[in-house]
Amino acid sequence: MNTYIAAIDQGTTSSRCIVFDHGGAIVSVSQKEHRQIFPKPGWVEHDAEEIWANVLDVVHGALQKASLTVHDLAAVGITNQRETTLVWDKATGKPVHNAIVWQDTRTDQLVKELGEQNRFRDKCGLPLATYFSGPKVRWLLDHVDGLRERGERGEVLFGTMDTWLIWKLTGRHVTDVTNASRTMLMNLETLDWDDELVDAIGVPKAMLPEIRSSAEVYGTATGTLEGVPVASALGDQQAALFGQTCYSPGEGKCTYGTGSFLLVNTGDKPVVSENGLLTTVGYKIGDQPAAYALEGAIAVTGALVQWFRDKMGLISSAPEIETLARSVEDNGGAYFVPAFSGLFAPHWRSDARGIIAGLTGYIDKGHIARAVLEATAWQTREVVDAMNADSGVELVALKVDGGMTANNLLMGFLSDVLDVPVVRPIVAETTCLGAAYAAGLAVGYWSDTESLRENWHKAAEWLPTMDARTRDKGYRKWKKAVERTVGWIDEDDNDE
């Protein structure tokens, strides 16, 4: 039996390849950054040819580091930055334009023209926003000479980065349900392109890839990975959900980075959010029913600690915040709401700005440090409350990954305010692990999701110790502080 699974993680700033063994442990890693191209303010692009060359480099590098050859791989899986959009020539394989990256806001005017924000939400689970792929494809069709006509004739192909890599590896034009669910063009119920959505956004159907499950053999690779089955594709946050083995309704994970993404498995039916969350496909294994998820995005978590370090100068490294926060017993009544660029889920208020509430002469820098950390926990609580209300499924435990999980004080406080266990796994690279798991399932390297659960080992667990009265009082004060953040931006603030 071939002994390893490789995962390619095509991310926003870099591409990497990780090789895993049967126990889900990391054998080797190779990583390479690519350029961020900023043609105009608010525009962000990537060179897809550069990314492809880097992917080949990191695959080669990961195999070389572990003294492996392609013959040692049972399969390769792919996970990717979501919503980044590319169109290429079917005959030559050349991109017709740089890839338009998920953060890019050039479609702002187009999104306004397409109409009311929730116009398509019942079908695709998403609000109309610059974030998603559909409007980006439409922008290319409107701005690249002759592209619409070529699209209608099927001479050019659209794809997100998973589609591009699968096409380059196998010659097959496919995407998976998780990536398709971020285009605004797929119907969440049928898991296929929706004629009404495709027509409304204005994308020729002939350009669209075939939608497949997240774990199946799409084709066999040529070139560097000659003969290896390409057997999974998952958007990065969904891959982390899968790598964290959140296979039952109510199981969720939160990735704590600069901002944070919380996804909760809601089972085999899509749940349309009434509370400012996104409805998305979590994963689909072969011909089994799809598992759906609710997703909540928090704009500022780790970024607040960076601000505290770089702008306030009260600490010289991020880990020092824990020591400073431990110098006091509590927050002294201070609450910090980091609405630096408005509030994201579940509020969606662009007129909000950051605030420190509850200041008295008693407060010192230790209390502020604690309030900075607690802000991440309280913001998570708001998203979890929204998820519980939407899904009717109570979160039973939160699996965490990302840089901030090294902060033990924060993780303990998070468990207290959520009143559920918070668990960090041994393998922190959960995005790549999810892609590896899905590919391994597709080729029989792992037998079923139960065997993957057995692979999952916790490195640390925090259990709630706070009494209900203290928790409720703290949350009430947090909500009062949040109320004071909105309405700061007036019409004349933009007149400079």
Side-chain angles (χ1 to χ4, degrees):
M1 178 180 173
N2 291 326
T3 46
Y4 303 101
I5 297 276
I8 295 166
D9 178 1
Q10 202 300 291
T12 307
T13 57
S14 67
S15 301
R16 59 189 178 154
C17 180
I18 302 186
V19 177
F20 293 93
D21 67 16
H22 199 265
I26 292 173
V27 176
S28 68
V29 184
S30 178
Q31 184 163 353
K32 192 170 185 182
E33 290 191 1
H34 55 262
R35 289 175 303 140
Q36 305 296 312
I37 302 162
F38 304 104
K40 293 184 184 180
W43 292 28
V44 192
E45 297 179 357
H46 290 159
D47 177 346
E49 297 272 33
E50 178 193 3
I51 284 175
W52 170 239
N54 287 0
V55 165
L56 293 180
D57 274 359
V58 296
V59 166
H60 183 70
L63 290 173
Q64 201 172 30
K65 281 182 187 177
S67 303
L68 300 174
T69 72
V70 290
H71 303 297
D72 298 305
L73 296 179
V76 62
I78 293 168
T79 178
N80 57 290
Q81 52 166 324
R82 302 178 303 175
E83 299 99 15
T84 294
T85 299
L86 185 66
V87 175
W88 65 93
D89 185 297
K90 187 178 179 179
T92 66
K94 296 286 178 197
V96 302
H97 190 279
N98 281 334
I100 302 179
V101 181
W102 57 273
Q103 308 114 306
D104 187 287
T105 58
R106 76 184 67 187
T107 56
D108 196 27
Q109 191 53 43
L110 170 63
V111 163
K112 288 191 181 92
E113 287 165 16
L114 284 169
E116 186 264 320
Q117 192 193 26
N118 287 326
R119 181 179 165 196
F120 307 127
R121 194 169 201 144
D122 285 349
K123 282 198 161 188
C124 68
L126 309 172
L128 202 44
T130 60
Y131 188 12
F132 305 112
S133 319
K136 298 185 202 301
V137 192
R138 166 69 183 274
W139 187 93
L140 287 168
L141 293 165
D142 289 349
H143 290 84
V144 176
D145 277 352
L147 193 61
R148 176 168 293 283
E149 293 71 27
R150 297 183 67 207
E152 283 162 356
R153 291 195 297 267
E155 294 170 7
V156 291
L157 306 176
F158 152 70
T160 42
M161 298 314 286
D162 57 308
T163 307
W164 168 242
L165 294 183
I166 293 167
W167 192 82
K168 293 293 278 185
L169 287 166
T170 69
R172 301 284 306 283
H173 186 220
V174 299
T175 189
D176 94 297
V177 286
T178 68
N179 282 293
S181 77
R182 315 296 291 194
T183 60
M184 302 202 73
L185 304 173
M186 187 188 86
N187 185 308
L188 278 177
E189 297 276 358
T190 65
L191 301 180
D192 205 351
W193 305 119
D194 185 282
D195 289 338
E196 186 196 348
L197 295 174
V198 169
D199 290 347
I201 291 174
V203 179
K205 225 172 170 181
M207 298 172 67
L208 301 177
E210 184 185 352
I211 301 175
R212 306 296 291 267
S213 81
S214 317
E216 64 177 89
V217 177
Y218 307 123
T220 304
T222 54
T224 301
L225 283 168
E226 185 79 48
V228 179
V230 180
S232 76
L234 290 145
D236 53 11
Q237 297 303 328
Q238 285 96 332
L241 186 77
F242 201 75
Q244 286 273 36
T245 67
C246 296
Y247 304 141
S248 301
E251 293 185 325
K253 70 90 199 174
C254 194
T255 301
Y256 286 99
T258 308
S260 295
F261 288 90
L262 201 155
L263 272 76
V264 168
N265 183 328
T266 58
D268 60 4
K269 294 280 186 294
V271 175
V272 176
S273 177
E274 305 291 325
N275 294 287
L277 305 174
L278 304 179
T279 306
T280 199
V281 179
Y283 57 87
K284 185 180 189 304
I285 304 304
D287 53 12
Q288 296 173 27
Y292 293 89
L294 282 169
E295 177 176 323
I298 305 167
V300 178
T301 51
L304 181 56
V305 177
Q306 291 167 338
W307 174 89
F308 191 72
R309 180 192 67 199
D310 300 339
K311 298 291 177 74
M312 294 295 100
L314 291 168
I315 51 172
S316 54
S317 69
E320 281 176 39
I321 194 166
E322 183 170 359
T323 310
L324 183 55
R326 284 189 187 277
S327 68
V328 292
E329 285 187 10
D330 55 33
N331 63 15
Y335 290 80
F336 197 140
V337 187
F340 292 165
S341 50
L343 288 168
F344 276 30
H347 305 284
W348 301 107
R349 290 290 296 257
S350 58
D351 62 340
R353 286 298 176 266
I355 194 167
I356 306 175
L359 286 179
T360 62
Y362 169 71
I363 300 292
D364 66 19
K365 62 185 180 183
H367 296 110
I368 300 292
R370 195 171 268 259
V372 162
L373 290 180
E374 290 180 357
T376 288
W378 291 123
Q379 288 183 101
T380 305
R381 166 75 189 263
E382 288 188 307
V383 171
V384 167
D385 280 3
M387 287 192 165
N388 288 343
D390 275 337
S391 67
V393 179
E394 292 289 311
L395 183 75
V396 288
L398 186 66
K399 292 178 172 178
V400 294
D401 50 71
M404 289 186 89
T405 61
N407 190 307
N408 293 308
L409 179 65
L410 170 59
M411 293 297 106
F413 188 74
L414 183 60
S415 175
D416 278 341
V417 303
L418 296 179
D419 198 25
V420 298
V422 167
V423 195
R424 185 178 70 212
I426 285 174
V427 177
E429 302 293 352
T430 53
T431 303
C432 274
L433 187 59
Y437 277 171
L441 284 176
V443 297
Y445 184 81
W446 287 291
S447 54
D448 52 30
T449 52
E450 275 315 302
S451 59
L452 301 180
R453 281 191 193 275
E454 287 163 21
N455 266 352
W456 191 94
H457 298 292
K458 66 184 174 193
E461 181 174 30
W462 293 267
L463 299 172
T465 57
M466 187 184 283
D467 65 272
R469 190 168 165 274
T470 308
R471 179 187 305 115
D472 294 344
K473 183 181 173 188
Y475 195 31
R476 272 200 312 277
K477 291 198 166 179
W478 166 262
K479 285 176 159 176
K480 277 185 186 169
V482 171
E483 283 168 19
R484 287 161 173 73
T485 65
V486 298
W488 280 95
I489 305 303
D490 297 326
E491 296 273 319
D492 57 4
D493 285 348
N494 300 316
D495 287 351
E496 289 113 45

